[in-house]
Amino acid sequence: MIGHDLSNIYLKKKGIRKRVSSYDKTGGNDDRIYIKPNEDRVIFDVHTSGLIEHIWMTQMNFGDVIEKNAFRKVYLKFYWEDSIYPSVLVPLGDFFGLGHGISKNYVSEPLQMSPQDGRGLNCYFPMPFKKAARIEVVNECDTTLMLYFYIDYEEKEFDEEIMYFNAYWHRECPTKGKDYHTFPTREDFLFKGENKTNEENYVLLDVEGEGHYVGCNLNIHNLSDCDSWDWIGEGDDVIFIDNDPSLTIYGTGTEDYFSTSWCPSEEYNAPYHGIILKGKDNWKGKTSYYRYHIKDPITFRKSIKVTIEHGHNNNRCDDYSSTAYFYMSKPYQHKVPISAKEDRIPLDDN
């Protein structure tokens, strides 16, 4: 049994609780580490069998400021066992559930941003390993990063078969849509047309192997200059499993996949779905949604491709970014480096 909650907290545990943190080893109060610009710092490096159960972080740039877009300029790398490539390669803020290079208070079961102003970053996704685990933080801010962290883990052996935690970040800016001026009416642009191939859908995750997909956050920046009805949704989620057409999962719309309804314009946090940013009037500006398949993981034996239309029939041209979370029988290998800092920086609000 890997997980536990109030229903089984009374069961005897065999492991030993451990923690790696940024505490001041001199006994003083400078309980943080300093990461220089463009420095890659290892913050967790253990060689045993164990299970990471909680990660907490908070950051400040030198001079007691938060550098603009610091949550995109800093990124994380997680390595399992003897892998030479990271299984997690994600900007800091996006990993903890919110894109756009910002932080904001919100609550879900696996990920949370806590006061002050969402800068208390928490992850509860369990992360097992049998031989070794390493976590690195890369600072691409213009100034030195001051980082506080806890990584709480249990040193233990596993009787059951484990799967490894992975996370995949993707951005498409802008999505390859269509010019709304070429449509007869706004209704035609938003609701009409047929997408029978799903070849141009935005891709949240595309991997080969065995595992289960456990959800994502999706961040959309509305780039349209249209003053009339400018709902950013209507994009169906389509999930391809094991290259088997009979296993394809079809959805009915953006807000439907994120378990909300009726072109939502309210912020809402639930354990497994929610809207962290609702955008401005008429869905302008930036929005952020999450859906975590904790109770309903989507399994695959050979491959999975998780996609969503960017507007009905992929008509919209917006800034899409996402982080997908998944477990696999072998650690995923990010062989392609993360996008350059300039390509990760969010656009200014329009």
Side-chain angles (χ1 to χ4, degrees), residues 71 98-99 101-105 113 116-119 121:
F71 291 92
L98 174 60
I102 61 174
S103 65
K104 185 179 185 296
N105 294 342
M113 288 185 172
Q116 181 74 350
D117 301 320
R119 286 158 49 196
L121 310 175

Side-chain angles (χ1 to χ4, degrees), residues 249-264:
I249 296 174
Y250 295 92
T252 59
T254 308
E255 71 269 46
D256 306 339
Y257 174 67
F258 291 99
S259 301
T260 61
S261 63
W262 299 110
C263 311

Side-chain angles (χ1 to χ4, degrees), residues 4-205:
H4 52 271
D5 54 30
L6 280 176
S7 69
N8 59 24
I9 194 69
Y10 64 90
L11 296 177
K12 184 177 180 179
K13 297 177 65 63
K14 298 179 180 179
I16 301 172
R17 173 59 55 191
K18 295 289 187 72
R19 170 183 290 168
V20 174
S21 77
S22 57
Y23 81 98
D24 187 340
K25 296 175 178 59
T26 70
N29 193 42
D30 193 17
D31 294 314
R32 56 196 175 185
I33 64 170
Y34 298 83
I35 307 178
K36 296 177 181 179
N38 300 312
E39 182 181 359
D40 183 338
R41 177 72 68 87
V42 176
I43 65 168
F44 184 82
D45 189 11
V46 301
H47 296 266
T48 184
S49 179
L51 176 70
I52 296 173
E53 295 183 299
H54 175 232
I55 298 173
W56 167 84
M57 291 182 181
T58 190
Q59 67 170 15
M60 180 79 75
N61 292 93
F62 196 76
D64 292 338
V65 298
I66 293 292
E67 186 171 312
K68 184 179 180 181
N69 297 318
F71 291 92
R72 272 277 170 86
K73 294 177 181 177
V74 177
Y75 64 92
L76 302 172
K77 300 191 292 184
F78 293 28
Y79 299 81
W80 308 125
E81 314 303 14
D82 54 2
S83 296
I84 62 174
Y85 297 105
S87 298
V88 171
L89 186 63
V90 182
L92 181 68
D94 297 77
F95 176 81
F96 286 98
L98 174 60
H100 303 302
I102 61 174
S103 65
K104 185 179 185 296
N105 294 342
Y106 88 94
V107 176
S108 73
E109 181 172 315
L111 299 165
Q112 301 176 12
M113 288 185 172
S114 304
Q116 181 74 350
D117 301 320
R119 286 158 49 196
L121 310 175
N122 289 274
C123 173
Y124 293 94
F125 275 116
M127 306 177 192
F129 51 94
K130 289 187 173 181
K131 294 188 297 183
R134 188 170 86 252
I135 297 176
E136 300 178 12
V137 178
V138 183
N139 175 28
E140 291 193 341
C141 290
D142 298 326
T143 56
T144 295
L145 186 74
M146 299 184 292
L147 183 73
Y148 301 76
F149 64 89
Y150 288 12
I151 302 174
D152 293 310
Y153 70 104
E154 187 178 30
E155 190 174 286
K156 60 174 292 183
E157 300 291 334
F158 296 95
D159 297 326
E160 61 277 270
E161 182 178 359
I162 68 167
M163 286 196 168
Y164 294 93
F165 174 80
N166 311 278
Y168 177 83
W169 184 76
H170 181 220
R171 185 186 189 192
E172 190 174 333
C173 179
T175 50
K176 298 177 179 63
K178 306 173 184 68
D179 183 354
Y180 72 87
H181 295 95
T182 64
F183 287 76
T185 67
R186 189 65 177 168
E187 182 179 357
D188 286 291
F189 174 74
L190 291 173
F191 304 112
K192 295 185 179 180
E194 297 178 346
N195 178 13
K196 295 184 177 180
T197 67
N198 295 295
E199 292 177 354
E200 297 181 356
N201 291 7
Y202 176 81
V203 177
L204 294 126
L205 179 65

